[in-house]
Amino acid sequence: MAPIRVHNVEGAPLHGLASAASPSDRHVCFSESPELLIVSAPGICYAVLIHSAQDRPMPLPPHRGSSAAHPRPAPHRAGFTLIELLVVIAIIAILASMLLPALARAKVKAQSIKCVANQKQIYLGYHMYADDNRENLPIHGDWATVGGRVRTNASRPIVHDTVGETNRPLNTYVQAPLAFKCPSDKGDSYWAAESKPTCYDAWGNSYLPMWARDWFGVKHVTGDAKASSGSPESKPISTSEIARRPTTKIIQGDWPWHGSRDSGDGRVHGANAKKSIWHNNRGKRGWNMMYGDGHVAQFNFPPNYDPSWADRPVNIDWQWW
């Protein structure tokens, strides 16, 4: 039989494997050392030194049953490095710092829109009441009791619901008490302890009409049910009087709209200033107001609007009345 020819690094043939029983009896395999090639035939074995990886012949397919038929699993890929993780965290932090303020502003805007919708619904209640009561707006017993949630402990007098009214006049026309709850309600800086956590939770109403008194240049719109019959305090405004200048006639607004409340800058009630920040209006006297023509919008009162304006006379030609 023809000899098997094996070449070393220089390409010179190596002789010595003169014969073998058959081609299937010849084996070429690798040792544990990558530089050593083992050439074997029955009874004969040659070790050939290979000097570089380029000199190694392609490995032969493994024999059935040999350990080469079961290759070792590929090594596990390494995870992220600490620097890579820190970079990812930094990117997430930057994106969050950009998105969170925008989300906060969107939330404030959404709450303000809900507040406007509430007051428009209440406006319809005022007019339906007037249609049934000779064009007059309601009379009720305290600042908060024109409508809203009726307390279960009505027998106990509280601020703005001193007589425990169970028949709030607008509730017949606006039957969902939550319509009287502003989602931005944070309480009253003037009655901070009594309005925890919100005005609605305290006395069942987030909205303040001008009741029985002409304060801050505003003609009162609802009458005092406890006042003497025929007195100015007992008489509510009529829709015909509102029609004289409806676009500037204030009916009601977010509870802190009176000048006796803080604007959020701490100038009036420093310790409780945050209770007046209902619609991101820090430092501005801006609240959602309802007017005689039915529109509801945020109105910014003058910067010097404060408790000293309480006795300002009503003037129909002023910015509001």
Side-chain angles (χ1 to χ4, degrees), residues 119-142:
Q119 294 206 59
K120 286 185 175 182
Q121 186 176 354
I122 295 170
Y123 173 83
L124 295 177
Y126 276 114
H127 264 266
M128 287 187 286
Y129 180 95
D131 287 344
D132 293 339
N133 290 273
R134 300 179 181 178
E135 296 188 356
N136 293 318
L137 267 62
I139 59 172
H140 50 102
D142 215 322

mmCIF file with all atom_site columns, all heavy atoms in Angstrom, residues 119-142:
data_model
loop_
_atom_site.group_PDB
_atom_site.id
_atom_site.type_symbol
_atom_site.label_atom_id
_atom_site.label_alt_id
_atom_site.label_comp_id
_atom_site.label_asym_id
_atom_site.label_entity_id
_atom_site.label_seq_id
_atom_site.pdbx_PDB_ins_code
_atom_site.Cartn_x
_atom_site.Cartn_y
_atom_site.Cartn_z
_atom_site.occupancy
_atom_site.B_iso_or_equiv
_atom_site.pdbx_formal_charge
_atom_site.auth_seq_id
_atom_site.auth_comp_id
_atom_site.auth_asym_id
_atom_site.auth_atom_id
_atom_site.pdbx_PDB_model_num
ATOM 1   N N   . GLN A 1 119 ? -67.534 73.901 37.630 1.00 0.00 ? 119 GLN A N   1
ATOM 2   C CA  . GLN A 1 119 ? -68.208 75.178 37.863 1.00 0.00 ? 119 GLN A CA  1
ATOM 3   C C   . GLN A 1 119 ? -69.229 75.500 36.767 1.00 0.00 ? 119 GLN A C   1
ATOM 4   O O   . GLN A 1 119 ? -70.246 76.146 37.040 1.00 0.00 ? 119 GLN A O   1
ATOM 5   C CB  . GLN A 1 119 ? -67.173 76.295 37.995 1.00 0.00 ? 119 GLN A CB  1
ATOM 6   C CG  . GLN A 1 119 ? -66.287 76.146 39.229 1.00 0.00 ? 119 GLN A CG  1
ATOM 7   C CD  . GLN A 1 119 ? -65.732 77.479 39.691 1.00 0.00 ? 119 GLN A CD  1
ATOM 8   O OE1 . GLN A 1 119 ? -66.482 78.403 40.009 1.00 0.00 ? 119 GLN A OE1 1
ATOM 9   N NE2 . GLN A 1 119 ? -64.413 77.576 39.746 1.00 0.00 ? 119 GLN A NE2 1
ATOM 10  N N   . LYS A 1 120 ? -68.961 75.049 35.556 1.00 0.00 ? 120 LYS A N   1
ATOM 11  C CA  . LYS A 1 120 ? -69.971 75.244 34.508 1.00 0.00 ? 120 LYS A CA  1
ATOM 12  C C   . LYS A 1 120 ? -71.237 74.453 34.815 1.00 0.00 ? 120 LYS A C   1
ATOM 13  O O   . LYS A 1 120 ? -72.358 74.914 34.544 1.00 0.00 ? 120 LYS A O   1
ATOM 14  C CB  . LYS A 1 120 ? -69.394 74.840 33.151 1.00 0.00 ? 120 LYS A CB  1
ATOM 15  C CG  . LYS A 1 120 ? -68.385 75.844 32.604 1.00 0.00 ? 120 LYS A CG  1
ATOM 16  C CD  . LYS A 1 120 ? -67.935 75.479 31.202 1.00 0.00 ? 120 LYS A CD  1
ATOM 17  C CE  . LYS A 1 120 ? -67.029 76.559 30.632 1.00 0.00 ? 120 LYS A CE  1
ATOM 18  N NZ  . LYS A 1 120 ? -66.610 76.258 29.240 1.00 0.00 ? 120 LYS A NZ  1
ATOM 19  N N   . GLN A 1 121 ? -71.055 73.269 35.381 1.00 0.00 ? 121 GLN A N   1
ATOM 20  C CA  . GLN A 1 121 ? -72.214 72.476 35.772 1.00 0.00 ? 121 GLN A CA  1
ATOM 21  C C   . GLN A 1 121 ? -72.976 73.163 36.910 1.00 0.00 ? 121 GLN A C   1
ATOM 22  O O   . GLN A 1 121 ? -74.218 73.203 36.914 1.00 0.00 ? 121 GLN A O   1
ATOM 23  C CB  . GLN A 1 121 ? -71.762 71.070 36.195 1.00 0.00 ? 121 GLN A CB  1
ATOM 24  C CG  . GLN A 1 121 ? -72.895 70.115 36.494 1.00 0.00 ? 121 GLN A CG  1
ATOM 25  C CD  . GLN A 1 121 ? -72.394 68.713 36.815 1.00 0.00 ? 121 GLN A CD  1
ATOM 26  O OE1 . GLN A 1 121 ? -71.199 68.424 36.699 1.00 0.00 ? 121 GLN A OE1 1
ATOM 27  N NE2 . GLN A 1 121 ? -73.291 67.843 37.223 1.00 0.00 ? 121 GLN A NE2 1
ATOM 28  N N   . ILE A 1 122 ? -72.235 73.721 37.853 1.00 0.00 ? 122 ILE A N   1
ATOM 29  C CA  . ILE A 1 122 ? -72.875 74.436 38.967 1.00 0.00 ? 122 ILE A CA  1
ATOM 30  C C   . ILE A 1 122 ? -73.600 75.683 38.460 1.00 0.00 ? 122 ILE A C   1
ATOM 31  O O   . ILE A 1 122 ? -74.681 76.035 38.959 1.00 0.00 ? 122 ILE A O   1
ATOM 32  C CB  . ILE A 1 122 ? -71.825 74.795 40.030 1.00 0.00 ? 122 ILE A CB  1
ATOM 33  C CG1 . ILE A 1 122 ? -71.244 73.516 40.653 1.00 0.00 ? 122 ILE A CG1 1
ATOM 34  C CG2 . ILE A 1 122 ? -72.432 75.664 41.128 1.00 0.00 ? 122 ILE A CG2 1
ATOM 35  C CD1 . ILE A 1 122 ? -70.033 73.763 41.540 1.00 0.00 ? 122 ILE A CD1 1
ATOM 36  N N   . TYR A 1 123 ? -73.023 76.355 37.464 1.00 0.00 ? 123 TYR A N   1
ATOM 37  C CA  . TYR A 1 123 ? -73.682 77.537 36.891 1.00 0.00 ? 123 TYR A CA  1
ATOM 38  C C   . TYR A 1 123 ? -75.075 77.172 36.371 1.00 0.00 ? 123 TYR A C   1
ATOM 39  O O   . TYR A 1 123 ? -76.042 77.926 36.576 1.00 0.00 ? 123 TYR A O   1
ATOM 40  C CB  . TYR A 1 123 ? -72.828 78.109 35.763 1.00 0.00 ? 123 TYR A CB  1
ATOM 41  C CG  . TYR A 1 123 ? -73.506 79.221 34.993 1.00 0.00 ? 123 TYR A CG  1
ATOM 42  C CD1 . TYR A 1 123 ? -73.488 80.529 35.476 1.00 0.00 ? 123 TYR A CD1 1
ATOM 43  C CD2 . TYR A 1 123 ? -74.178 78.964 33.798 1.00 0.00 ? 123 TYR A CD2 1
ATOM 44  C CE1 . TYR A 1 123 ? -74.121 81.553 34.780 1.00 0.00 ? 123 TYR A CE1 1
ATOM 45  C CE2 . TYR A 1 123 ? -74.809 79.978 33.103 1.00 0.00 ? 123 TYR A CE2 1
ATOM 46  C CZ  . TYR A 1 123 ? -74.776 81.275 33.594 1.00 0.00 ? 123 TYR A CZ  1
ATOM 47  O OH  . TYR A 1 123 ? -75.409 82.279 32.901 1.00 0.00 ? 123 TYR A OH  1
ATOM 48  N N   . LEU A 1 124 ? -75.173 76.035 35.706 1.00 0.00 ? 124 LEU A N   1
ATOM 49  C CA  . LEU A 1 124 ? -76.493 75.601 35.230 1.00 0.00 ? 124 LEU A CA  1
ATOM 50  C C   . LEU A 1 124 ? -77.436 75.384 36.398 1.00 0.00 ? 124 LEU A C   1
ATOM 51  O O   . LEU A 1 124 ? -78.641 75.673 36.305 1.00 0.00 ? 124 LEU A O   1
ATOM 52  C CB  . LEU A 1 124 ? -76.344 74.324 34.407 1.00 0.00 ? 124 LEU A CB  1
ATOM 53  C CG  . LEU A 1 124 ? -75.551 74.448 33.100 1.00 0.00 ? 124 LEU A CG  1
ATOM 54  C CD1 . LEU A 1 124 ? -75.419 73.074 32.432 1.00 0.00 ? 124 LEU A CD1 1
ATOM 55  C CD2 . LEU A 1 124 ? -76.202 75.448 32.154 1.00 0.00 ? 124 LEU A CD2 1
ATOM 56  N N   . GLY A 1 125 ? -76.894 74.879 37.510 1.00 0.00 ? 125 GLY A N   1
ATOM 57  C CA  . GLY A 1 125 ? -77.722 74.700 38.700 1.00 0.00 ? 125 GLY A CA  1
ATOM 58  C C   . GLY A 1 125 ? -78.248 76.021 39.236 1.00 0.00 ? 125 GLY A C   1
ATOM 59  O O   . GLY A 1 125 ? -79.428 76.128 39.620 1.00 0.00 ? 125 GLY A O   1
ATOM 60  N N   . TYR A 1 126 ? -77.387 77.056 39.251 1.00 0.00 ? 126 TYR A N   1
ATOM 61  C CA  . TYR A 1 126 ? -77.845 78.380 39.682 1.00 0.00 ? 126 TYR A CA  1
ATOM 62  C C   . TYR A 1 126 ? -79.010 78.860 38.818 1.00 0.00 ? 126 TYR A C   1
ATOM 63  O O   . TYR A 1 126 ? -80.020 79.384 39.330 1.00 0.00 ? 126 TYR A O   1
ATOM 64  C CB  . TYR A 1 126 ? -76.703 79.393 39.578 1.00 0.00 ? 126 TYR A CB  1
ATOM 65  C CG  . TYR A 1 126 ? -75.760 79.432 40.756 1.00 0.00 ? 126 TYR A CG  1
ATOM 66  C CD1 . TYR A 1 126 ? -74.419 79.045 40.625 1.00 0.00 ? 126 TYR A CD1 1
ATOM 67  C CD2 . TYR A 1 126 ? -76.191 79.891 41.997 1.00 0.00 ? 126 TYR A CD2 1
ATOM 68  C CE1 . TYR A 1 126 ? -73.546 79.105 41.697 1.00 0.00 ? 126 TYR A CE1 1
ATOM 69  C CE2 . TYR A 1 126 ? -75.316 79.960 43.080 1.00 0.00 ? 126 TYR A CE2 1
ATOM 70  C CZ  . TYR A 1 126 ? -73.986 79.563 42.923 1.00 0.00 ? 126 TYR A CZ  1
ATOM 71  O OH  . TYR A 1 126 ? -73.134 79.634 43.991 1.00 0.00 ? 126 TYR A OH  1
ATOM 72  N N   . HIS A 1 127 ? -78.880 78.698 37.514 1.00 0.00 ? 127 HIS A N   1
ATOM 73  C CA  . HIS A 1 127 ? -79.922 79.231 36.633 1.00 0.00 ? 127 HIS A CA  1
ATOM 74  C C   . HIS A 1 127 ? -81.201 78.411 36.700 1.00 0.00 ? 127 HIS A C   1
ATOM 75  O O   . HIS A 1 127 ? -82.306 78.986 36.605 1.00 0.00 ? 127 HIS A O   1
ATOM 76  C CB  . HIS A 1 127 ? -79.402 79.323 35.201 1.00 0.00 ? 127 HIS A CB  1
ATOM 77  C CG  . HIS A 1 127 ? -78.896 80.696 34.887 1.00 0.00 ? 127 HIS A CG  1
ATOM 78  N ND1 . HIS A 1 127 ? -79.672 81.664 34.301 1.00 0.00 ? 127 HIS A ND1 1
ATOM 79  C CD2 . HIS A 1 127 ? -77.702 81.271 35.143 1.00 0.00 ? 127 HIS A CD2 1
ATOM 80  C CE1 . HIS A 1 127 ? -78.973 82.775 34.179 1.00 0.00 ? 127 HIS A CE1 1
ATOM 81  N NE2 . HIS A 1 127 ? -77.774 82.575 34.685 1.00 0.00 ? 127 HIS A NE2 1
ATOM 82  N N   . MET A 1 128 ? -81.097 77.112 36.868 1.00 0.00 ? 128 MET A N   1
ATOM 83  C CA  . MET A 1 128 ? -82.315 76.318 37.029 1.00 0.00 ? 128 MET A CA  1
ATOM 84  C C   . MET A 1 128 ? -83.019 76.678 38.330 1.00 0.00 ? 128 MET A C   1
ATOM 85  O O   . MET A 1 128 ? -84.261 76.740 38.392 1.00 0.00 ? 128 MET A O   1
ATOM 86  C CB  . MET A 1 128 ? -81.987 74.830 36.963 1.00 0.00 ? 128 MET A CB  1
ATOM 87  C CG  . MET A 1 128 ? -81.655 74.344 35.561 1.00 0.00 ? 128 MET A CG  1
ATOM 88  S SD  . MET A 1 128 ? -81.474 72.551 35.437 1.00 0.00 ? 128 MET A SD  1
ATOM 89  C CE  . MET A 1 128 ? -79.884 72.314 36.246 1.00 0.00 ? 128 MET A CE  1
ATOM 90  N N   . TYR A 1 129 ? -82.225 76.918 39.372 1.00 0.00 ? 129 TYR A N   1
ATOM 91  C CA  . TYR A 1 129 ? -82.820 77.369 40.643 1.00 0.00 ? 129 TYR A CA  1
ATOM 92  C C   . TYR A 1 129 ? -83.544 78.703 40.431 1.00 0.00 ? 129 TYR A C   1
ATOM 93  O O   . TYR A 1 129 ? -84.673 78.902 40.905 1.00 0.00 ? 129 TYR A O   1
ATOM 94  C CB  . TYR A 1 129 ? -81.738 77.506 41.706 1.00 0.00 ? 129 TYR A CB  1
ATOM 95  C CG  . TYR A 1 129 ? -82.266 77.970 43.050 1.00 0.00 ? 129 TYR A CG  1
ATOM 96  C CD1 . TYR A 1 129 ? -82.586 77.052 44.043 1.00 0.00 ? 129 TYR A CD1 1
ATOM 97  C CD2 . TYR A 1 129 ? -82.460 79.331 43.323 1.00 0.00 ? 129 TYR A CD2 1
ATOM 98  C CE1 . TYR A 1 129 ? -83.092 77.474 45.276 1.00 0.00 ? 129 TYR A CE1 1
ATOM 99  C CE2 . TYR A 1 129 ? -82.963 79.765 44.541 1.00 0.00 ? 129 TYR A CE2 1
ATOM 100 C CZ  . TYR A 1 129 ? -83.271 78.837 45.515 1.00 0.00 ? 129 TYR A CZ  1
ATOM 101 O OH  . TYR A 1 129 ? -83.776 79.256 46.730 1.00 0.00 ? 129 TYR A OH  1
ATOM 102 N N   . ALA A 1 130 ? -82.879 79.643 39.735 1.00 0.00 ? 130 ALA A N   1
ATOM 103 C CA  . ALA A 1 130 ? -83.491 80.959 39.502 1.00 0.00 ? 130 ALA A CA  1
ATOM 104 C C   . ALA A 1 130 ? -84.776 80.835 38.693 1.00 0.00 ? 130 ALA A C   1
ATOM 105 O O   . ALA A 1 130 ? -85.759 81.560 38.944 1.00 0.00 ? 130 ALA A O   1
ATOM 106 C CB  . ALA A 1 130 ? -82.500 81.870 38.797 1.00 0.00 ? 130 ALA A CB  1
ATOM 107 N N   . ASP A 1 131 ? -84.812 79.937 37.728 1.00 0.00 ? 131 ASP A N   1
ATOM 108 C CA  . ASP A 1 131 ? -86.030 79.740 36.931 1.00 0.00 ? 131 ASP A CA  1
ATOM 109 C C   . ASP A 1 131 ? -87.200 79.302 37.803 1.00 0.00 ? 131 ASP A C   1
ATOM 110 O O   . ASP A 1 131 ? -88.361 79.633 37.504 1.00 0.00 ? 131 ASP A O   1
ATOM 111 C CB  . ASP A 1 131 ? -85.773 78.681 35.849 1.00 0.00 ? 131 ASP A CB  1
ATOM 112 C CG  . ASP A 1 131 ? -84.884 79.196 34.726 1.00 0.00 ? 131 ASP A CG  1
ATOM 113 O OD1 . ASP A 1 131 ? -84.706 80.429 34.620 1.00 0.00 ? 131 ASP A OD1 1
ATOM 114 O OD2 . ASP A 1 131 ? -84.338 78.356 33.975 1.00 0.00 ? 131 ASP A OD2 1
ATOM 115 N N   . ASP A 1 132 ? -86.899 78.568 38.864 1.00 0.00 ? 132 ASP A N   1
ATOM 116 C CA  . ASP A 1 132 ? -87.952 78.080 39.758 1.00 0.00 ? 132 ASP A CA  1
ATOM 117 C C   . ASP A 1 132 ? -88.232 79.022 40.926 1.00 0.00 ? 132 ASP A C   1
ATOM 118 O O   . ASP A 1 132 ? -89.122 78.749 41.744 1.00 0.00 ? 132 ASP A O   1
ATOM 119 C CB  . ASP A 1 132 ? -87.584 76.701 40.311 1.00 0.00 ? 132 ASP A CB  1
ATOM 120 C CG  . ASP A 1 132 ? -87.573 75.622 39.247 1.00 0.00 ? 132 ASP A CG  1
ATOM 121 O OD1 . ASP A 1 132 ? -88.213 75.832 38.195 1.00 0.00 ? 132 ASP A OD1 1
ATOM 122 O OD2 . ASP A 1 132 ? -86.904 74.580 39.451 1.00 0.00 ? 132 ASP A OD2 1
ATOM 123 N N   . ASN A 1 133 ? -87.444 80.106 41.038 1.00 0.00 ? 133 ASN A N   1
ATOM 124 C CA  . ASN A 1 133 ? -87.574 80.976 42.211 1.00 0.00 ? 133 ASN A CA  1
ATOM 125 C C   . ASN A 1 133 ? -87.583 82.464 41.816 1.00 0.00 ? 133 ASN A C   1
ATOM 126 O O   . ASN A 1 133 ? -86.837 83.274 42.375 1.00 0.00 ? 133 ASN A O   1
ATOM 127 C CB  . ASN A 1 133 ? -86.443 80.699 43.205 1.00 0.00 ? 133 ASN A CB  1
ATOM 128 C CG  . ASN A 1 133 ? -86.566 79.356 43.883 1.00 0.00 ? 133 ASN A CG  1
ATOM 129 O OD1 . ASN A 1 133 ? -87.228 79.227 44.910 1.00 0.00 ? 133 ASN A OD1 1
ATOM 130 N ND2 . ASN A 1 133 ? -85.930 78.341 43.297 1.00 0.00 ? 133 ASN A ND2 1
ATOM 131 N N   . ARG A 1 134 ? -88.415 82.800 40.847 1.00 0.00 ? 134 ARG A N   1
ATOM 132 C CA  . ARG A 1 134 ? -88.669 84.185 40.453 1.00 0.00 ? 134 ARG A CA  1
ATOM 133 C C   . ARG A 1 134 ? -87.372 84.930 40.089 1.00 0.00 ? 134 ARG A C   1
ATOM 134 O O   . ARG A 1 134 ? -87.180 86.077 40.456 1.00 0.00 ? 134 ARG A O   1
ATOM 135 C CB  . ARG A 1 134 ? -89.395 84.931 41.584 1.00 0.00 ? 134 ARG A CB  1
ATOM 136 C CG  . ARG A 1 134 ? -90.725 84.333 41.961 1.00 0.00 ? 134 ARG A CG  1
ATOM 137 C CD  . ARG A 1 134 ? -91.369 85.101 43.098 1.00 0.00 ? 134 ARG A CD  1
ATOM 138 N NE  . ARG A 1 134 ? -92.643 84.513 43.488 1.00 0.00 ? 134 ARG A NE  1
ATOM 139 C CZ  . ARG A 1 134 ? -93.401 84.974 44.497 1.00 0.00 ? 134 ARG A CZ  1
ATOM 140 N NH1 . ARG A 1 134 ? -93.003 86.031 45.195 1.00 0.00 ? 134 ARG A NH1 1
ATOM 141 N NH2 . ARG A 1 134 ? -94.545 84.379 44.784 1.00 0.00 ? 134 ARG A NH2 1
ATOM 142 N N   . GLU A 1 135 ? -86.498 84.235 39.417 1.00 0.00 ? 135 GLU A N   1
ATOM 143 C CA  . GLU A 1 135 ? -85.242 84.794 38.913 1.00 0.00 ? 135 GLU A CA  1
ATOM 144 C C   . GLU A 1 135 ? -84.231 85.112 40.016 1.00 0.00 ? 135 GLU A C   1
ATOM 145 O O   . GLU A 1 135 ? -83.212 85.765 39.749 1.00 0.00 ? 135 GLU A O   1
ATOM 146 C CB  . GLU A 1 135 ? -85.489 86.053 38.071 1.00 0.00 ? 135 GLU A CB  1
ATOM 147 C CG  . GLU A 1 135 ? -86.287 85.800 36.801 1.00 0.00 ? 135 GLU A CG  1
ATOM 148 C CD  . GLU A 1 135 ? -86.329 87.036 35.915 1.00 0.00 ? 135 GLU A CD  1
ATOM 149 O OE1 . GLU A 1 135 ? -85.807 88.097 36.328 1.00 0.00 ? 135 GLU A OE1 1
ATOM 150 O OE2 . GLU A 1 135 ? -86.863 86.929 34.801 1.00 0.00 ? 135 GLU A OE2 1
ATOM 151 N N   . ASN A 1 136 ? -84.472 84.648 41.213 1.00 0.00 ? 136 ASN A N   1
ATOM 152 C CA  . ASN A 1 136 ? -83.539 84.904 42.297 1.00 0.00 ? 136 ASN A CA  1
ATOM 153 C C   . ASN A 1 136 ? -82.599 83.718 42.502 1.00 0.00 ? 136 ASN A C   1
ATOM 154 O O   . ASN A 1 136 ? -82.996 82.556 42.385 1.00 0.00 ? 136 ASN A O   1
ATOM 155 C CB  . ASN A 1 136 ? -84.295 85.162 43.606 1.00 0.00 ? 136 ASN A CB  1
ATOM 156 C CG  . ASN A 1 136 ? -85.084 86.445 43.566 1.00 0.00 ? 136 ASN A CG  1
ATOM 157 O OD1 . ASN A 1 136 ? -84.601 87.470 43.070 1.00 0.00 ? 136 ASN A OD1 1
ATOM 158 N ND2 . ASN A 1 136 ? -86.316 86.420 44.070 1.00 0.00 ? 136 ASN A ND2 1
ATOM 159 N N   . LEU A 1 137 ? -81.356 84.041 42.832 1.00 0.00 ? 137 LEU A N   1
ATOM 160 C CA  . LEU A 1 137 ? -80.397 82.998 43.178 1.00 0.00 ? 137 LEU A CA  1
ATOM 161 C C   . LEU A 1 137 ? -80.679 82.491 44.592 1.00 0.00 ? 137 LEU A C   1
ATOM 162 O O   . LEU A 1 137 ? -81.519 83.069 45.301 1.00 0.00 ? 137 LEU A O   1
ATOM 163 C CB  . LEU A 1 137 ? -78.966 83.526 43.023 1.00 0.00 ? 137 LEU A CB  1
ATOM 164 C CG  . LEU A 1 137 ? -78.326 83.249 41.645 1.00 0.00 ? 137 LEU A CG  1
ATOM 165 C CD1 . LEU A 1 137 ? -79.099 83.941 40.519 1.00 0.00 ? 137 LEU A CD1 1
ATOM 166 C CD2 . LEU A 1 137 ? -76.865 83.685 41.615 1.00 0.00 ? 137 LEU A CD2 1
ATOM 167 N N   . PRO A 1 138 ? -80.021 81.449 45.053 1.00 0.00 ? 138 PRO A N   1
ATOM 168 C CA  . PRO A 1 138 ? -80.415 80.793 46.316 1.00 0.00 ? 138 PRO A CA  1
ATOM 169 C C   . PRO A 1 138 ? -80.163 81.643 47.566 1.00 0.00 ? 138 PRO A C   1
ATOM 170 O O   . PRO A 1 138 ? -79.384 82.591 47.572 1.00 0.00 ? 138 PRO A O   1
ATOM 171 C CB  . PRO A 1 138 ? -79.540 79.541 46.340 1.00 0.00 ? 138 PRO A CB  1
ATOM 172 C CG  . PRO A 1 138 ? -79.112 79.319 44.935 1.00 0.00 ? 138 PRO A CG  1
ATOM 173 C CD  . PRO A 1 138 ? -79.002 80.681 44.328 1.00 0.00 ? 138 PRO A CD  1
ATOM 174 N N   . ILE A 1 139 ? -80.860 81.238 48.625 1.00 0.00 ? 139 ILE A N   1
ATOM 175 C CA  . ILE A 1 139 ? -80.540 81.678 49.981 1.00 0.00 ? 139 ILE A CA  1
ATOM 176 C C   . ILE A 1 139 ? -80.137 80.436 50.772 1.00 0.00 ? 139 ILE A C   1
ATOM 177 O O   . ILE A 1 139 ? -80.663 79.343 50.554 1.00 0.00 ? 139 ILE A O   1
ATOM 178 C CB  . ILE A 1 139 ? -81.717 82.410 50.656 1.00 0.00 ? 139 ILE A CB  1
ATOM 179 C CG1 . ILE A 1 139 ? -82.957 81.513 50.724 1.00 0.00 ? 139 ILE A CG1 1
ATOM 180 C CG2 . ILE A 1 139 ? -82.035 83.701 49.918 1.00 0.00 ? 139 ILE A CG2 1
ATOM 181 C CD1 . ILE A 1 139 ? -84.086 82.116 51.552 1.00 0.00 ? 139 ILE A CD1 1
ATOM 182 N N   . HIS A 1 140 ? -79.175 80.595 51.662 1.00 0.00 ? 140 HIS A N   1
ATOM 183 C CA  . HIS A 1 140 ? -78.691 79.460 52.455 1.00 0.00 ? 140 HIS A CA  1
ATOM 184 C C   . HIS A 1 140 ? -78.074 79.996 53.737 1.00 0.00 ? 140 HIS A C   1
ATOM 185 O O   . HIS A 1 140 ? -77.908 81.226 53.901 1.00 0.00 ? 140 HIS A O   1
ATOM 186 C CB  . HIS A 1 140 ? -77.697 78.606 51.656 1.00 0.00 ? 140 HIS A CB  1
ATOM 187 C CG  . HIS A 1 140 ? -76.596 79.378 51.002 1.00 0.00 ? 140 HIS A CG  1
ATOM 188 N ND1 . HIS A 1 140 ? -75.315 79.446 51.505 1.00 0.00 ? 140 HIS A ND1 1
ATOM 189 C CD2 . HIS A 1 140 ? -76.581 80.134 49.864 1.00 0.00 ? 140 HIS A CD2 1
ATOM 190 C CE1 . HIS A 1 140 ? -74.560 80.191 50.706 1.00 0.00 ? 140 HIS A CE1 1
ATOM 191 N NE2 . HIS A 1 140 ? -75.307 80.628 49.701 1.00 0.00 ? 140 HIS A NE2 1
ATOM 192 N N   . GLY A 1 141 ? -77.685 79.112 54.636 1.00 0.00 ? 141 GLY A N   1
ATOM 193 C CA  . GLY A 1 141 ? -77.347 79.518 55.996 1.00 0.00 ? 141 GLY A CA  1
ATOM 194 C C   . GLY A 1 141 ? -75.897 79.834 56.273 1.00 0.00 ? 141 GLY A C   1
ATOM 195 O O   . GLY A 1 141 ? -75.589 80.365 57.351 1.00 0.00 ? 141 GLY A O   1
ATOM 196 N N   . ASP A 1 142 ? -74.967 79.529 55.350 1.00 0.00 ? 142 ASP A N   1
ATOM 197 C CA  . ASP A 1 142 ? -73.561 79.831 55.621 1.00 0.00 ? 142 ASP A CA  1
ATOM 198 C C   . ASP A 1 142 ? -72.783 79.818 54.313 1.00 0.00 ? 142 ASP A C   1
ATOM 199 O O   . ASP A 1 142 ? -73.315 79.458 53.257 1.00 0.00 ? 142 ASP A O   1
ATOM 200 C CB  . ASP A 1 142 ? -72.970 78.832 56.624 1.00 0.00 ? 142 ASP A CB  1
ATOM 201 C CG  . ASP A 1 142 ? -71.944 79.475 57.545 1.00 0.00 ? 142 ASP A CG  1
ATOM 202 O OD1 . ASP A 1 142 ? -71.181 80.332 57.064 1.00 0.00 ? 142 ASP A OD1 1
ATOM 203 O OD2 . ASP A 1 142 ? -71.902 79.118 58.748 1.00 0.00 ? 142 ASP A OD2 1
#
